[in-house]
Amino acid sequence: MDDDTGTIPRQADFSAWYNEVLWRAEIMDVRYPVKGLYVWFPYGFGIRKRVYGILRELLDRDHEETLFPLLIPEHEFMKEAEHIKGFEDEVYWVTHGGLSPLDMKLALRPTSETAIYPMYSLWVRSHADLPLKLYQVVNTFRYETKHTRPLIRLREITSFKEAHTVHETWEDAAAQVEDAVARYREFYDRLGIPVLVSRRPDWDKFPGADYTIAVDCVMPDGRTLQIGTVHHLGDHFSRTFSISYEDREGEQRLAHQTCYGISERCMAALIAVHGDDRGLVLPPEVAPVQVVVVPIIVGKRGDEVLEASRQLTDDLAAAGIRVKLDDRDLRPGAKYYHWELRGVPVRLELGPRDLDSNVSTGVLRTGGVKRAVPLSEAPRSVRELLEEVARDLRASADARLAGAVASASSMNDLAQVLERGVAIVNWCGGQPCADRIEEVTGGAVLGVEIRSDLVTQDEGVCIACGKPGTTALIGRSY
Ligand code: A5A
Ligand code: ZN
């Protein structure tokens, strides 16, 4: 991969920055010859593996992982009317086996409700089987017609984590929705990504849901990205797919369901929210390389420096830190650039002068002063530096989000706020007003019942019609 030095200004042109970083930091190769399909480079996949490790860890507390088929028979896919309406123009169909037309068309799953629920109908018998909480991490296919972008809008989503739960009552399912939202919040906390949570307007909810709670983040250009959704499915699907259970009194009852999903958009958020003009900046927990050791070999003491660098690398590795010794025959500056681009949280430089003081010089990817790392207790000292990077990352992401959210009380205000972020307005809840807001300002109603410390919920008049309204979040979204 080419490794020219030079910065990539993020603020000036976020889209250009994003594409450049995906390529140069070896996250995705966009040259695959099918639109909307992209290839993971091993380095990008190494980050993904750790990010999804966190997601699995959080879900494994009380869910079980499973795996359902990719192909869904047409007659199952076509059962739930709203669901079909929502997805029919996005489905890829398999129509042939070799040269023979299939007698039953098969859908490539755009999501797996209609693959999973016929089986749930067989599995759920009694209240003792509930709650049922399963998830899978799979590829799904959506024939997206909007502009496709790596990790953001894909036609093959490669990392679709979808959970599907079954409960006795509507209230139990509602409680599961809250639980899932809390779990997603925790997931994004671990990645240092601050989020805005809100309830989507009815016309924007998942096809076949009672309501949808969405998790959004704000990208550096001020546009929002939906990075997770949690749906209360009520009994829409349990009616259609006959998912019922015998209650404690021996009565047959319809079950209530939820589902919730996160895709590799979480990787897009990770890259975009933390990155800077030098490239990626990775939270230590998900960095494939947490520390790079760079020997500064000048003059006669090269062997000595190299030997000490090897020892330092071994000590850190033995303590379970993901460390790499960069002993390539390159200028130190070129090595710094290489690892900064790839987001490595801590760099340790070791030269003759460091050696004389029995230290290595620690440099944080998030900036700030250099720190002396005593060679005699390097693992402890480096762990502190890694924690500092995680704290720095979170603090600057929080500050940027706070700077991107502002209230607006007129359409003019709103248009201005939307130029650099998201707006808090009062809105009557009517679709005509949402449409007008979009026409005039380009911003869409993201949601109501916003859950964020940055937003206080109150009553006021609708920004579009002047009738009574409640707090709503407006944004331009990806
Ligand atoms: N069965 C439920 C979980 C479902 O499909 N929900 S969803 O349609 O809202 O998708 C879940 C999440 O996947 C979305 O919140 C969004 O973050 C992500 N997503 C949806 N379409 C995507 C696409 N084409 N490319 C990348 N991510 C996508
Ligand atoms: Zn209104």
Side-chain angles (χ1 to χ4, degrees):
M1 213 93 329
D2 80 283
D3 229 30
D4 298 339
T5 51
T7 59
I8 321 163
R10 186 177 72 151
Q11 224 48 49
D13 182 350
F14 168 68
S15 252
W17 176 91
Y18 182 71
N19 292 331
E20 191 76 8
V21 166
L22 290 186
W23 166 248
R24 279 164 65 180
E26 301 177 301
I27 309 289
M28 306 297 299
D29 195 327
V30 300
R31 294 174 299 176
Y32 193 75
V34 180
K35 182 180 156 62
L37 275 56
Y38 309 96
V39 181
W40 289 95
F41 280 121
Y43 187 72
F45 204 71
I47 305 169
R48 176 206 182 270
K49 184 170 77 180
R50 292 185 170 84
V51 168
Y52 278 71
I54 297 176
L55 197 48
R56 282 193 162 92
E57 176 200 317
L58 297 181
L59 290 168
D60 286 344
R61 285 180 191 157
D62 61 352
H63 295 61
E64 285 180 294
E65 187 169 354
T66 180
L67 192 56
F68 276 74
L70 164 66
L71 297 174
I72 304 174
E74 182 179 21
H75 60 85
E76 296 295 358
F77 190 78
M78 291 306 194
K79 267 186 185 162
E80 214 286 332
E82 281 179 46
H83 193 68
I84 302 166
K85 261 212 306 211
F87 282 105
E88 63 187 352
D89 50 358
E90 289 186 17
V91 178
Y92 285 89
W93 290 101
V94 175
T95 57
H96 285 72
L99 299 178
S100 323
L102 297 177
D103 47 21
M104 178 178 60
K105 278 206 291 180
L106 300 168
L108 292 185
R109 62 183 162 216
T111 170
S112 305
E113 286 70 16
T114 56
I116 295 178
Y117 300 169
M119 300 307 296
Y120 275 10
S121 163
L122 303 173
W123 292 351
V124 173
R125 287 273 153 261
S126 117
H127 63 87
D129 300 324
L130 303 179
L132 176 63
K133 303 185 198 181
L134 304 184
Y135 76 91
Q136 60 179 5
V137 181
V138 295
N139 54 349
T140 59
F141 294 81
R142 296 185 181 185
Y143 187 73
E144 295 278 0
T145 46
K146 282 209 232 164
H147 183 64
T148 53
R149 264 175 218 276
L151 304 177
I152 291 179
R153 181 164 284 105
L154 309 145
R155 287 187 171 174
E156 179 181 2
I157 308 173
T158 69
S159 312
F160 195 68
K161 190 289 297 168
E162 51 179 325
H164 295 269
T165 72
V166 190
H167 307 267
E168 292 182 44
T169 65
W170 194 94
E171 289 72 22
D172 289 351
Q176 184 62 34
V177 166
E178 293 311 309
D179 204 71
V181 169
R183 208 74 58 101
Y184 281 0
R185 213 184 253 292
E186 197 176 345
F187 171 63
Y188 283 112
D189 266 337
R190 290 269 286 272
L191 300 177
I193 299 172
V195 297
L196 297 165
V197 176
S198 66
R199 183 168 62 76
R200 286 278 187 260
D202 270 356
W203 59 83
D204 209 16
K205 67 188 186 190
F206 183 69
D210 273 356
Y211 63 88
T212 289
I213 309 283
V215 178
D216 293 286
C217 73
V218 180
M219 302 292 262
D221 60 358
R223 288 166 73 182
T224 59
L225 183 66
Q226 172 181 300
I227 50 176
T229 31
V230 183
H231 316 291
H232 194 309
L233 300 178
D235 59 11
H236 298 216
F237 287 91
S238 57
R239 267 179 208 285
T240 312
F241 290 95
S242 311
I243 305 173
S244 61
Y245 66 96
E246 189 178 289
D247 73 8
R248 286 164 188 78
E249 280 74 49
E251 300 280 335
Q252 280 298 315
R253 292 191 183 281
L254 278 181
H256 293 79
Q257 294 179 271
T258 80
C259 67
Y260 32 101
I262 279 185
S263 75
E264 58 255 60
R265 279 190 187 177
C266 64
M267 293 285 298
L270 182 80
I271 292 161
V273 168
H274 296 313
D276 67 14
D277 291 357
R278 282 177 289 170
L280 285 185
V281 185
L282 292 174
E285 190 176 2
V286 297
V289 179
Q290 296 173 305
V291 179
V292 60
V293 176
V294 180
I296 313 292
I297 299 170
V298 281
K300 280 181 290 196
R301 298 175 66 194
D303 287 347
E304 203 186 326
V305 164
L306 207 52
E307 180 48 38
S309 298
R310 284 204 184 101
Q311 186 61 53
L312 174 60
T313 306
D314 290 348
D315 289 351
L316 294 175
I321 293 167
R322 294 190 290 275
V323 58
K324 200 167 179 95
L325 171 67
D326 189 350
D327 55 3
R328 291 175 299 169
D329 186 18
L330 286 174
R331 284 178 304 106
K335 296 181 183 178
Y336 299 171
Y337 172 80
H338 178 95
W339 297 109
E340 280 172 351
L341 176 59
R342 286 162 182 75
V344 174
V346 169
R347 171 173 86 232
L348 294 177
E349 304 169 5
L350 210 164
R353 238 177 307 154
D354 296 308
L355 211 49
D356 291 338
S357 335
N358 273 310
V359 298
S360 161
T361 302
V363 182
L364 308 190
R365 180 62 181 82
T366 42
V369 290
K370 297 187 171 189
R371 302 281 152 80
V373 170
L375 294 179
S376 57
E377 40 183 327
R380 185 193 56 75
S381 176
V382 163
R383 279 220 177 79
E384 282 173 15
L385 296 187
L386 291 170
E387 280 163 23
E388 193 176 340
V389 169
R391 280 196 305 275
D392 283 356
L393 271 179
R394 179 63 201 230
S396 33
D398 279 345
R400 275 197 306 277
L401 180 66
V405 179
S407 305
S409 51
S410 70
M411 288 291 207
N412 266 343
D413 267 7
L414 177 56
Q416 254 171 20
V417 171
L418 290 174
E419 269 170 36
R420 49 180 193 86
V422 295
I424 308 300
V425 303
N426 277 295
W427 170 59
C428 64
Q431 191 161 13
C433 285
D435 289 346
R436 232 197 98 216
I437 291 172
E438 188 148 11
E439 253 165 59
V440 177
T441 70
V445 175
L446 294 177
V448 294
E449 295 158 25
I450 308 153
R451 301 121 178 249
S452 163
D453 297 342
L454 299 169
V455 180
T456 33
Q457 209 68 35
D458 62 9
E459 314 275 304
V461 297
C462 173
I463 191 170
C465 71
K467 294 196 186 121
T470 55
T471 308
L473 188 65
I474 313 285
R476 291 172 303 129
S477 57
Y478 270 94

